[in-house]
Amino acid sequence: MADARRKLDIAAEAGPVGGALAHDSAAKHVAGEAVYIDDIAAPDGLLHAYLGLSTVAHGRLLSLDLAAVRAAPGVVGVLTAADVPGVNDISSTHRQDEPLFATDRILFHGQPLFAVVAGTREQARHAATLAKAEYAEEAPLIDIAAARAAGGALVTDPLKLERGDIAAALAASPRRLKGSMAIGGQEHFYLESQVALAVPGEDEDMQVFVSTQHPSEVQHMVGAVLGAGSHAVTVEVRRMGGGFGGKETQANLFACVAALAARKLKRPVKLRPDRDDDMAITGKRHDFVCDYEVGFDEDGSIHAVDALYAARCGWNADLSGPVTDRALFHMDNCYFYPAVRARSEPLFTNTCSNTAFRGFGGPQGMVGAERFIEEVAFATGLDPLEVRKRNLYGGNSSTEGLGRDLTPYYQQVEDNIAGHVISELERRCDYQARRAAIREANAKSPVIKRGIALTPVKFGISFTATWFNQAGALVHVYKDGTVALNHGGTEMGQGLYIKVAQVVAQAFGLGLDAVKITATTTGKVPNTSATAASSGSDLNGMAALDACETIKRRLTEFAAKHWQERPEDIAFLPGRVRVGAREIAFRELIQAAYMARIQLSATGFYTTPKIHWDRKAGRGHPFYYFAYGAAAAEVAIDTLTGEYKVERVDILHDCGQSLNPAIDRGQIEGGFVQGMGWLTTEELVWDRKGRLWTRAPSTYKIPVASDRPRIFNVHLLENAPNREPTIHRSKAVGEPPLMLAISVLHALSDAVASVGDYRVCPRLDAPATPERVLDAVERVRAEAAS
Amino acid sequence: MRKTLRFLIGNEPVEIEGCDPTLTVLDWLRLERRMTGSKEGCAEGDCGACTVVVGRLDHGRLRYEAINACIRFLPTLDGCQLLTVEHLKGGDGSLHPVQQAMVECHGSQCGFCTPGFVMSLLALRLNEAEPSIARIEDALAGNLCRCTGYEPIIAAGRRMDAISPREADPFLKQCETTAAKLATLQDGKTLALEGQGRRFYAPATVSALAELIAAHPQAALVAGATDVGLWVTKGMKQLDPVVYLGRIEGLRGVSDEGDHLRFGAMATLVDVRNALADLSPQLDELMRRFGGEQVRNAGTIGGNIANGSPIGDLPPALIALKATLVLAKSADGGEIERRTLPLESFFLDYRKQDRRPGEFVEAVSVPKLPSDALFNVSKVSKRFDEDISAVCGAFRLRRDANGFITETRLAYGGMAGIPKRAKAAEAALIGRPWDEEAVAAAIAALPQDFTPLDDMRASARYRLTVAGNLLRRFLIETTEQPARTRVAGLLAEAAHG
């Protein structure tokens, strides 16, 4: 990273970096010309696979009669576990707990038993319904309470973070309270459902086009299932129709089944589940129950927090370990707890295996933190915002020799700007005056009550699995001066491709039209990490820049020699290259370099510095830096029905020095609305048999256009370059804004509290559906009256 | 009988002989035409990624409607023009103003929902000048986006007409030519297709329809296909034969008959909204929230009733309004035999209706409200727009000169296996003044009327509580001035001033 300073200097020049440029595919999106997996022109001889699913949630598979499936019109093949030449397992954590096809134990409703392959998708889908399976059915464990009642089996090792003597600190606290909060899960509802297309080649070769955030993992899984080396498998994805974490591991199943069928039948095979099946099979955001005890004083200062975060993980571990870990990493949000103990409880249940989802457990951890604050606020009669401010990291006091900047995992918060962001937003949105006005208006409004809340976000950036914090890129400069860019990151709508292209264009002093963004493929950049943890542009931007710098170094050496100038007098400027006193076109330089046999292609590589994490000890520096933000939400609720409307939202969010303010704004607004959906109308319901009841948009309600706040003031924090030398001092933005929506939950709670004259903590759980809001209204009224 | 399906795709005529009766427009586009711009997001008409625009002649006038291609059967496009996202770019490759606005406003992220939004905005532009933000939200209620949070898409809706004036839109400029082309595709003959061994009929007259149903009493009658479409895409049903009612202009009409409104069974929910809005702003709002725009364009009053959903959204309001249903069937000598019955008697039990063999819903008659009648309707759902009611309550009430209640109808959806009146609660109101005591008495009686279910939309307890609280809202809204009682939608905006 010797070049770090020089790289950062580039940001001072005019160029594509920092420009509010449109998404690279925008013109194709609007014309229907952007190609998704299901749009790829069908290869000759294409067949279609479909999955046969279990119809019980728990038990043993006694027999599976597939005769009718085989005999169905158009069917050319049926696959079960017996047809797997490699390993019948696709567990991303290598725990061997996720069979591709069930053989004996049935662990959730919708578990894949077999696949059928036919001439058309309709034929395969129909045939898949004709299987006759016999089960010895057992009672399923559907939720956290049931899992605990049955002994609380875990899918993975729990984590404990502990700092200070929690028992003593609680005992010494002037006041303490206990509570419990339910935090619902969330379906990703990527608009493009899971889909994979496998095309067999010669030898053991398999080309897989799949909608995935993690091509390298798909490559590895397909190789393992087929019993082939990774070198035989190429995985490619140009773009996804949304991912949000739902295609980090969940695409493996579809890719492996398509590849297995393609191998067996020696023909290309596509697998695209119906939306209902996708929702039934694939994992979702974990729902949690957070049990907590908080010690505090009359001034609203927190002395100690003891919290247990139990999660419904589903039928296998998948990413539940790191997800529940990240919940604990965010159970502090922006607040310093002098003494703290946090434990995770990743519970096994007979439901789909919950997985990554934007925020990756962090949001649930943070929702808990904000509940602790709210409890203290109601117990002390203070404005929750005041309690938030009093407990922020930093400040001048210290406790027991500890600085007020130490997290429960012993990382120092070095870049704390939460206080600044909060007070700045408080001022800009006129929080205090509006809060007073709302309280006055509520007193005169018998049915409709309004509420307001301002909540902050501090989100840790880096994969907590340290080795994932690496990235590679491949940059080719062609003889005509145009550039082909490839890196390990995937495009799911978040604008990663355009951001990295901006970095590359700027590095060479080119316009964006000179840089071709090419589909992510394991054949070009190997051993990549999932595009996840908000890390896409941090990692791949740096890797791509590294490749550019390598090429520029060669070009600089060449130019110095060729034109007899000193290397320091060579500069890549917008639209030209300065060589001593002369300026030449980039293309001219490239042509000369080519003739002089200079290599015009390079790989780039990047690893995040500073980070380490000792999970056993619960200590380390897992995050390179933190991203901050704050939101103030105002809502109106109907105390007769529980219906509500988010009327106004003000956001101030920290993107560091934004690579692309238009893209970042899109992430902030979109993340906020997605988070709002999670905490309000998006409710997952399973029936008693363990069948997911909300498995379609008709029953699972994500926000629509009219749900977004009509007044929506979104600002990027100004003059706030990342204190760490990230790519052009920008900050990751994929996940953090989702948690700005916690302000909506608290604004609803504030509105509910009005019916009890703000004396009773509403303890509003998530998702705050109209039903939950009405329940809270009735409970607060009853408690206030008693 | 005509055995060829005829329509326009863009400006190009298509003729198809032999067609699977339930082949969806989306599958035809994507699989047979290899036009992959329209996407499948849910295959149930709820996400709008497949939105296309259909032009059809309505009493000789060309009308453009956004619909969900995923649940629309291809043969129902007979005589129509089909526009997809592929038809928007200019001949020189330039983006259409709707597309340009979406790009300029950063309206796409992953891009998968984008073609659907583009088509919904196109339909809005073709139909309305200078739409308000509320109207844009409405027009997009049937389109889900998971990436953007909608703000930039709404901005695109505000921007599109500034990029190029509506009058200059190529589709509007071609309107007369297109209408003339479509006129040549209209005839009075029954369209009869066969494909995959199954039959499709689209009669052009009521008498041809009656005869077809008499000949095929087991036929699946298809109106807007917003529910039947799902029998196919989700239930994988092989319907045979399919009888489509959409070509019969006589069933599409909406007329003001003095003391009542008459709706042909095939009046779309958009047309129904326009007519009912005159009776009450709350009916306007109820219909505004009915499905998404694509569903309101395709769905019909007759389909909504004949479908017999326990919720239905429209039947509770119609029952409260004392609507009657006209059922028709073929009789001897080519005559049509009709019977009329109160709407509430049509619903017998869960998914069971009083429709006799050979009968079809021909029309619905909705009496206008007497000037002294109080009327109120509320829909409560998990999500405000494009959701099905957890509870829908529609109430009508009249009092004598002394203020005592003489007549009332309290109709609910979502509370039982059918849309149903709360007879015990109604009885509790009779003879009382319209006040809090009366409401309390009615609420106390509700458990005698209903034992609602727990399901994914709401719990039984919530349903019962809200059913009662809606009566409280009715009282407040008809007696107190001017308390704000609604949080969202047109009524709330009106209350805000």
Side-chain angles (χ1 to χ4, degrees), chain A residues 29-30 36 39 125 187-188 274-276 638 640-641 643 682-683 702-703 706 708 710 771, chain B residues 30 39-41 44 99 108 110 137 146-147 150 233-234 382-383 385 459 461-462 469 473 493:
Chain A
H29 291 153
V30 299
Y36 301 81
D39 303 336
R125 193 172 158 217
E187 158 66 33
H188 302 85
D274 183 64
R275 171 66 61 179
D276 296 28
D638 179 344
L640 287 174
T641 60
E643 295 165 291
E682 295 184 36
E683 185 175 33
I702 73 169
S706 60
R708 90 198 189 292
R710 187 67 74 79
E771 176 162 357
Chain B
R30 292 184 57 86
K39 309 300 181 193
E40 181 184 309
E44 64 173 19
Q99 296 173 314
S108 72
C110 86
E137 287 173 354
R146 195 53 153 165
C147 295
Y150 302 100
T233 61
K234 298 294 169 179
K382 207 182 273 183
R383 185 176 67 198
D385 283 339
S459 71
R461 199 170 61 87
Y462 176 75
N469 283 355
R473 180 191 273 180
E493 282 186 16

Side-chain angles (χ1 to χ4, degrees), chain A residues 441-449 637-640, chain B residues 282 376 436 472-487 491-497:
Chain A
N442 280 346
K444 295 177 201 140
S445 176
V447 176
I448 306 299
K449 303 287 187 183
I637 66 166
D638 179 344
T639 56
L640 287 174
Chain B
Q282 293 181 2
N376 193 279
E436 281 182 27
R472 291 202 169 97
R473 180 191 273 180
F474 181 23
L475 178 69
I476 294 167
E477 289 182 341
T478 51
T479 53
E480 286 178 29
Q481 293 293 331
R484 188 180 161 202
T485 50
R486 313 254 178 161
V487 288
L491 296 173
E493 282 186 16
H496 265 313

